[in-house]
Amino acid sequence: MGSHYDALLQHLNDIHNLRMAAAVLDWDRETTMPEGAAASRATQLSVLARLAHEKFVSERTAELLEKAEVELNGADYDSDEVSMVRIARRDYDEAVKLPAEFVAEMTRLTAMAHGEWAKAREAADFAAFRDTLKRIVDMKRQEAEYRGGGEHPYDALLREYEYGMTTAQVKEIFESHKPALVELIAAINEVKDRVSDAPLRQPFDIAKQREFARSVIKAYGFDFSRGMQAESIHPFCTHFSRNDVRITTRFDPNHLNPALFGMMHEAGHGLYEQGVAPELDGTILDSGTSLGVHESQSRLWENIVGRSKGFWKWALPLLRKAFPGQFDDVDLETFYRAINKVEPSFIRVEADEATYNLHIMVRFELEQALLVGDVRVEDLPEAWNAKFESYLGIVPPNDALGCLQDVHWSVGLFGYFPTYALGNLLSAQYYAQAVKECPEIPEQIEKGEFSTLLSWLNDKIHRHGRKLTADELTRRITGQSIQADDYIQYLKDKFGEVYSL
Ligand code: ZN
């Protein structure tokens, strides 16, 4: 490649590595750091964020970008080089809108807020977190102003996580499938006693839980020579390179689901990161393209594969072996129904597939209302509870089960929640396409073979990294933009069977 491009690439890779170093500190904070280090770690993260930001928004970046753009003018849109410059330009134009001081202050505030939120949540004491949340919301409002663009202030925040998607589009796609969800949940509610999840709620040895879940994700194709699994309060996936992908798990000694399905979920994210093309390693393209597409991968492995009957034809005998005596009387049908029990509940991360997107719609509407001032932070608990009742028919008994449950707002993630629901929709849309192209996939899953599915995902999605936007990717793969039809059909088929509707 030309010399200007090479200089730009080196410059961007340096910035990328600063960010990856910060990600290692972040991983450490979540998994091993002693509580007393909160303030010093906040400073360290803030310094790294500032250095990376200053370097990225510098004159040098602008100059190198302009020269590389001229040099590559007319080259192939899909090439690594043109993609690198295109995405760097997009990131740069976005990043220069934020003053370095603002970025450092936001990083410092949210690094401290995380601990305050955790304590407030533990004590179910919203008042203990209220003032900090107010400062965060004020800063997010300021950030939306700095970023600008779009019809709604929320557009500017959404763009960070789901580039190309607007608030109006999200609203439309949510409205397009909300009635079908509400109808399905009501139909299930009529016959809710047909399914029990009792087999999943027994004492389960934690070491055995870990071993079994790890064997499942290994079978999926998660490469432990380029990844690892640890424990944290809130499960997540992070990566410092396609060859260093970290996932975390939370264990419940009396419930099989959190660790098992949680590990499948995080492994889905991990498989995406491990599948990015080697040529993109160490560059700004070395990651998933959007959070919605990322979540499509985690939900696909957790739910579409991991909660399918075919999967458990293979896995139930193995589970019986892992927990002798605990599943001897549980047949495949009963187990399949147990893992697919539908029940309106308070906690999003434990929600079933039918109610999940309603949890997201609550947050999506509240975030917009907070941002434009329709709901004040001090009134958030009441607003949350009212919306929750109207969407899910239940009212949280306290704020730990209500508006304090999620970590996102404490770390400044506004505009992030919709991507979870978009991920659900995309998971069904992509899987339907995969099976259309490779009809042998369901039969292979029954035998514990996942390589055809993983290769398809690698080829169609993973290897591109950030080169293509979510919409470009989805259109190329399925011939159309994101839609809710495949997801609703998937839910109707599955829960029609599980609940004999
Ligand atoms: Zn996820």
Side-chain angles (χ1 to χ4, degrees):
M1 254 320 122
S3 60
H4 294 309
Y5 174 78
D6 287 341
L8 174 69
L9 183 65
Q10 188 54 54
H11 179 69
L12 294 174
N13 288 357
D14 287 352
I15 294 162
H16 179 74
N17 281 312
L18 274 174
R19 291 177 181 151
M20 293 299 102
V24 178
L25 290 183
D26 210 34
W27 154 271
D28 174 78
R29 184 183 65 183
E30 297 287 331
T31 53
T32 39
M33 187 192 84
E35 199 187 330
S40 56
R41 183 57 49 90
T43 307
Q44 292 153 358
L45 282 164
S46 166
V47 170
L48 280 176
R50 182 170 50 79
L51 287 178
H53 183 74
E54 280 172 358
K55 200 166 164 64
F56 188 50
V57 299
S58 65
E59 280 298 315
R60 174 95 177 128
T61 307
E63 198 182 299
L64 289 169
L65 258 177
E66 272 164 37
K67 285 181 177 162
E69 279 165 344
V70 172
E71 191 174 76
L72 288 169
N73 190 22
D76 176 19
Y77 183 90
D78 277 12
S79 69
D80 291 350
E81 293 79 9
V82 172
S83 302
M84 193 78 65
V85 174
R86 180 175 65 246
I87 304 302
R89 163 62 68 191
R90 194 177 88 195
D91 290 351
Y92 175 80
D93 287 348
E94 199 63 48
V96 287
K97 294 173 181 167
L98 300 183
E101 275 319 305
F102 179 84
V103 175
E105 174 55 19
M106 181 69 101
T107 309
R108 199 201 54 77
L109 174 63
T110 52
M112 285 304 289
H114 180 266
E116 290 176 22
W117 160 78
K119 279 196 193 120
R121 175 173 173 252
E122 211 174 300
D125 180 7
F126 180 74
F129 184 54
R130 186 186 53 213
D131 292 344
T132 299
L133 183 59
K134 244 188 224 173
R135 282 209 295 283
I136 293 173
V137 170
D138 284 345
M139 286 196 80
K140 293 315 278 191
R141 200 173 291 136
Q142 175 72 57
E143 182 182 328
E145 246 168 67
Y146 280 139
R147 290 188 187 280
E151 290 169 5
H152 193 287
Y154 194 79
D155 283 352
L157 304 182
L158 181 62
R159 197 163 66 223
E160 269 291 280
Y161 312 109
E162 204 58 41
Y163 182 83
M165 197 72 151
T166 66
T167 310
Q169 284 172 312
V170 173
K171 245 183 221 168
E172 193 186 323
I173 198 153
F174 281 7
E175 290 307 322
S176 81
H177 74 293
K178 190 165 81 182
L181 289 179
V182 170
E183 197 182 317
L184 178 68
I185 294 163
I188 291 171
N189 203 34
E190 297 279 303
V191 293
K192 60 181 179 204
D193 295 338
R194 286 183 188 164
V195 172
S196 158
D197 66 350
L200 308 168
R201 295 178 183 277
Q202 313 177 42
F204 295 106
D205 180 78
I206 285 181
K208 283 182 185 163
Q209 285 196 50
R210 184 184 301 111
E211 196 185 336
F212 182 76
R214 284 170 64 110
S215 74
V216 166
I217 66 168
K218 204 169 170 208
Y220 278 177
F222 186 81
D223 181 353
F224 277 96
S225 74
R226 298 192 291 126
M228 66 169 286
Q229 173 265 331
E231 283 180 45
S232 70
I233 305 167
H234 311 285
F236 65 97
C237 170
T238 186
H239 77 290
F240 319 128
S241 145
R242 69 185 292 282
N243 299 316
D244 191 352
V245 178
R246 314 282 180 101
I247 61 171
T248 69
T249 315
R250 174 180 52 184
F251 291 91
D252 183 333
N254 296 303
H255 194 193
L256 192 67
N257 291 16
L260 177 55
F261 293 102
M263 214 189 286
M264 290 179 186
H265 180 102
E266 299 309 333
H269 286 302
L271 288 168
Y272 191 175
E273 299 297 353
Q274 290 188 334
V276 172
E279 303 82 67
L280 305 181
D281 188 29
T283 75
I284 60 163
L285 301 182
D286 178 13
S287 188
T289 185
S290 80
L291 293 185
V293 177
H294 232 301
E295 194 67 4
S296 77
Q297 300 306 289
S298 56
R299 300 296 273 178
L300 191 151
W301 290 103
E302 175 195 358
N303 291 329
I304 296 183
V305 176
R307 282 189 164 89
S308 70
K309 199 195 282 184
F311 174 85
W312 287 101
K313 265 187 197 165
W314 166 70
L316 188 56
L318 301 174
L319 187 72
R320 287 201 187 103
K321 227 182 259 175
F323 298 96
Q326 293 192 257
F327 290 101
D328 290 358
D329 303 331
V330 184
D331 62 17
L332 178 63
E333 286 300 327
T334 309
F335 187 83
Y336 173 58
R337 287 209 286 269
I339 56 173
N340 286 297
K341 183 179 163 69
V342 171
E343 188 172 46
S345 60
F346 299 118
I347 300 293
R348 173 186 62 86
V349 294
E350 288 161 13
D352 56 77
E353 292 176 87
T355 57
Y356 191 97
N357 281 12
L358 297 179
H359 287 257
I360 299 305
M361 292 173 195
V362 166
R363 289 156 176 78
F364 173 60
E365 289 173 17
L366 286 174
E367 285 189 334
Q368 291 172 66
L370 283 170
L371 204 61
V372 299
D374 285 351
V375 168
R376 296 181 312 166
V377 169
E378 47 268 50
D379 300 329
L380 183 61
E382 290 74 28
W384 177 287
N385 292 355
K387 250 190 211 314
F388 217 79
E389 184 168 27
S390 88
Y391 276 74
L392 287 134
I394 50 177
V395 180
N398 61 58
D399 294 332
L401 293 171
C403 66
L404 281 177
Q405 68 180 266
D406 283 301
V407 65
H408 300 66
W409 293 340
S410 78
V411 286
L413 301 176
F414 278 72
Y416 188 112
F417 279 118
T419 66
Y420 289 117
L422 300 176
N424 279 332
L425 306 183
L426 287 173
S427 69
Q429 193 172 340
Y430 294 153
Y431 186 74
Q433 186 65 30
V435 173
K436 206 184 278 176
E437 291 175 28
C438 315
E440 67 276 25
I441 286 174
E443 276 168 39
Q444 292 181 343
I445 289 176
E446 293 181 11
K447 291 184 240 154
E449 291 167 17
F450 308 99
S451 58
T452 304
L453 176 57
L454 181 58
S455 300
W456 188 89
L457 295 168
N458 276 157
D459 181 49
K460 302 287 178 181
I461 299 170
H462 303 169
R463 70 185 170 93
H464 300 296
R466 296 181 67 214
K467 285 168 76 168
L468 302 172
T469 67
D471 193 53
E472 284 172 337
L473 205 55
T474 305
R475 281 174 173 277
R476 286 190 193 190
I477 298 167
T478 70
Q480 52 182 334
S481 290
I482 183 171
Q483 38 85 355
D485 300 348
D486 286 319
Y487 189 61
I488 290 299
Q489 193 57 52
Y490 160 74
L491 291 181
K492 281 184 177 165
D493 290 347
K494 176 187 255 190
F495 294 106
E497 190 198 352
V498 167
Y499 280 89
S500 312
L501 296 177

